[in-house]
Amino acid sequence: MNNLAHNLKRYRQLTNRTQKEMAELLGMLTNAYQKYEHGTREPRIDVLIQIADILNVSLDDLVGRDFPK
């Protein structure tokens, strides 16, 4: 599982949302969203932004990007 897939699931669970709820909020079928969490499909940037907004996280956190300090 890649960082994005892992983080999608992690942040979704932290907000107590189901995959079905996420799919509904994004206007897609549940199995389409599930593919994001399984890492078999990656969301377009506009969908990624929507997901970050729904989960109240930054895009960097969502994709697992770290900046050197």
Side-chain angles (χ1 to χ4, degrees):
M1 183 182 305
N2 63 35
N3 281 341
L4 175 59
H6 173 79
N7 289 341
L8 285 170
K9 183 175 182 177
R10 180 174 153 240
Y11 286 119
R12 176 184 56 79
Q13 290 175 334
L14 286 172
T15 60
N16 296 313
R17 286 192 168 87
T18 65
Q19 290 178 337
K20 182 179 178 184
E21 289 171 328
M22 287 298 296
E24 288 173 356
L25 290 167
L26 295 166
M28 63 178 57
L29 297 173
T30 303
N31 68 345
Y33 179 80
Q34 288 171 336
K35 290 178 182 179
Y36 297 155
E37 286 194 11
H38 290 128
T40 57
R41 183 176 174 195
E42 290 189 0
R44 296 184 323 256
I45 188 66
D46 59 318
V47 176
L48 198 57
I49 291 168
Q50 281 182 284
I51 293 169
D53 288 346
I54 291 167
L55 299 176
N56 198 31
V57 297
S58 72
L59 286 174
D60 287 329
D61 287 338
L62 194 57
V63 299
R65 185 171 180 228
D66 287 327
F67 289 101
K69 298 189 184 214

